[in-house]
Amino acid sequence: MVFLLFVAMSLQDTVAKPYVPIGCFKDTMKEPRPLPKLIENFRGGRLDWHNINKTIDACAQKAKEMGYLCFGLQFYGECWSGPQACLTYDRDGPSNESCIHGVGKENECTDYRILNSADRSMTHHTSGQPKCDHWSHGFASNRWYRFTDKAGEAMADECVQSMRCQTFMSGWMSGTHPEVVDGIVPRDVCFNWQNKSECCYRKTPIRVRNCGKFYVYKLPGNTGCYTRYCGNDVVPVGCYNDILSDRALPDLLDSYRGAINWNDLENSVIKPCAVKAKENNRRFFAIQFYGECWSGPGSQNTYAKYGPSSRCTTTAPFVGMQRANFVYMLTEESECNNYKILDAADRSQFHVTNTAKPIRCDHKRLDENSWYRVVGAAGNAMADQCVQTWRCQTLGTGWFNGTYPKVSDGIQRGNVCFSWNRKCCYKESIVRIRNCSSFFVYKLNNDIGCVNAYCGNGQ
Ligand SMILES: *[C@@H]1O[C@H](CO)[C@@H](O)[C@H](O)[C@H]1NC(C)=O
Ligand SMILES: *[C@@H]1O[C@H](CO)[C@@H](O)[C@H](O)[C@H]1NC(C)=O
Ligand SMILES: *[C@@H]1O[C@H](CO)[C@@H](O)[C@H](O)[C@H]1NC(C)=O
Ligand SMILES: *[C@@H]1O[C@H](CO)[C@@H](O)[C@H](O)[C@H]1NC(C)=O
Ligand SMILES: *[C@@H]1O[C@H](CO)[C@@H](O)[C@H](O)[C@H]1NC(C)=O
């Protein structure tokens, strides 16, 4: 069973064809259906089999009367839609069948490429080999693109710092994202280099389109290396039930109810809540009751425990109403969840190096793209006072001589000193450190020479 799906382009009557085709989608007939409401049935004599356009026009007219933006035709003459149609139409997946002959299949809302890698997020710190959205690096120029998954749900639309999203000059869209009825609109992408020219060191024109539930961007691939289009950092997850006596996300991080700008929930509620969640090192957060910002420890495991709800706004900006959380996920670099372990007992600062065994040298043996956490008998952090030489199964002993960040400081730089030749700091190395609330993680410099190693603070 197949739908031909349209979205109303403009609600003005002056436009000749006030809708555009989106594509063909399956309807498996399972409840809730992708387009739940039969708003008109033109079968039984009211169909002009020679001109299906008349039926489409009539269905569009009916949808418009009812205030619905997306509608579909099924069985040639059934006109289906619903208040949430633009969000649910592809619930059962695209159909590879041709719905009606003569209807163009090429469309930016169905024929786009995906940008989904985590290192494209605006919060990802560039490290190692940078990447470039240039045709010479295999980027297909002037195609339509959609951001999804860990790259974010849209292109960043505020200044992204340089050296983010695995490039040097970070690309972000200036101006606002369009509404569905705006159709295809021109915008500029700014590439930021060290905040010069108001984060707009280079600029390129793009096109943007709101496809109902996501955006697509027509992106040129000629802005040079190293530039890249960066994704935003907040991904909508969905609407979930909550129970007041045992909240799915138990911590009220803040309430904006006293200061909600109803015309701009995005900036008055959702973005400030995202900032709070980041500060508190929470991966998931939710808006409930229009203006309350909720999260909790282990948020990724608890947010959905009472199942999906329908008590949220049905078009963006998404917020929950009473007893419902609209849940978002931060696409932040996940160093607090994704790290390697340093746990060898002989890495402890007090372990006397045993020369009968292999001597530890971390030079070029650590993964410079991974984060590390010290655990077990090695300790629960890096040693942070001068360590004697000939300890931790190495010769030159590495210890952290920096200041410890708070959770809200995010990723900071710090100095590691190596002790050798009676000097506590005969050699230094810059590392990155992040406070993950109950522990620290470190991104370690790999190029430290032999024979040196990083020591734990274990006993
Ligand atoms: C129906 O509309 C499409 C797209 O606007 C057009 O290409 C086609 O010629 C129309 N068909 C008829 C029979 O008018
Ligand atoms: C459509 O997809 C189904 C399964 O996904 C496949 O079996 C079928 O051959 C496809 N039809 C066409 C026309 O490509
Ligand atoms: C750019 O501005 C941001 C926010 O004001 C600041 O945190 C950052 O350090 C600046 N970067 C540079 C390279 O000046
Ligand atoms: C991380 O910082 C918080 C304050 O933001 C502090 O309470 C906590 O003890 C720190 N974590 C560690 C492991 O020191
Ligand atoms: C540790 O760092 C501080 C501040 O950078 C520096 O003054 C001090 O000399 C360092 N400690 C050693 C033992 O070198």
Side-chain angles (χ1 to χ4, degrees), residues 336-384:
C336 290
N337 312 314
N338 187 7
Y339 47 75
K340 294 184 173 165
I341 292 281
L342 298 174
D343 62 351
D346 63 8
R347 200 181 268 281
S348 145
Q349 58 187 337
F350 298 121
H351 170 86
V352 178
T353 298
N354 179 348
T355 51
K357 290 190 175 160
I359 307 288
R360 170 173 291 121
C361 178
D362 285 340
H363 178 69
K364 304 279 183 198
R365 303 246 163 86
L366 295 173
D367 177 2
E368 62 180 2
N369 292 315
S370 291
W371 288 80
Y372 286 91
R373 174 181 172 186
V374 179
V375 296
N380 60 16
M382 204 185 283
D384 59 4

Side-chain angles (χ1 to χ4, degrees), residues 406-407 435 437-440:
K406 297 195 294 273
V407 173
N435 178 332
S437 190
S438 57
F439 58 89
F440 294 104

Side-chain angles (χ1 to χ4, degrees), residues 184-311:
I184 296 171
V185 299
R187 289 283 185 272
D188 283 323
V189 165
C190 284
F191 295 96
N192 181 17
W193 181 241
Q194 297 186 334
N195 298 349
K196 286 180 186 155
S197 311
E198 296 178 347
C199 301
C200 212
Y201 189 69
R202 282 191 196 166
K203 199 151 95 169
T204 193
I206 63 160
R207 299 198 170 271
V208 189
R209 166 83 199 260
N210 183 331
C211 289
K213 146 162 147 159
F214 57 87
Y215 300 97
V216 288
Y217 308 82
K218 194 170 192 181
L219 302 175
N222 62 357
T223 47
C225 288
Y226 286 91
T227 64
R228 209 170 182 221
Y229 302 102
C230 305
N232 66 4
D233 58 346
V234 177
V235 178
V237 174
C239 186
Y240 294 91
N241 282 314
D242 199 15
I243 289 178
L244 304 196
S245 55
D246 179 23
R247 300 246 186 199
L249 296 169
D251 300 341
L252 181 64
L253 301 183
D254 213 336
S255 174
Y256 310 105
R257 286 190 55 81
I260 297 181
N261 176 351
W262 293 98
N263 296 320
D264 193 0
L265 287 169
E266 186 72 37
N267 286 305
S268 64
V269 176
I270 300 168
K271 282 188 178 166
C273 184
V275 169
K276 282 274 169 206
K278 259 178 247 180
E279 282 174 12
N280 287 276
N281 198 27
R282 304 286 189 242
R283 186 116 185 279
F284 289 74
F285 65 91
I287 311 294
Q288 186 171 141
F289 207 22
Y290 302 99
E292 292 174 2
C293 171
W294 292 88
S295 187
S299 57
Q300 63 274 26
N301 303 321
T302 63
Y303 72 85
K305 70 177 178 177
Y306 300 122
S309 164
S310 56
R311 290 186 307 279

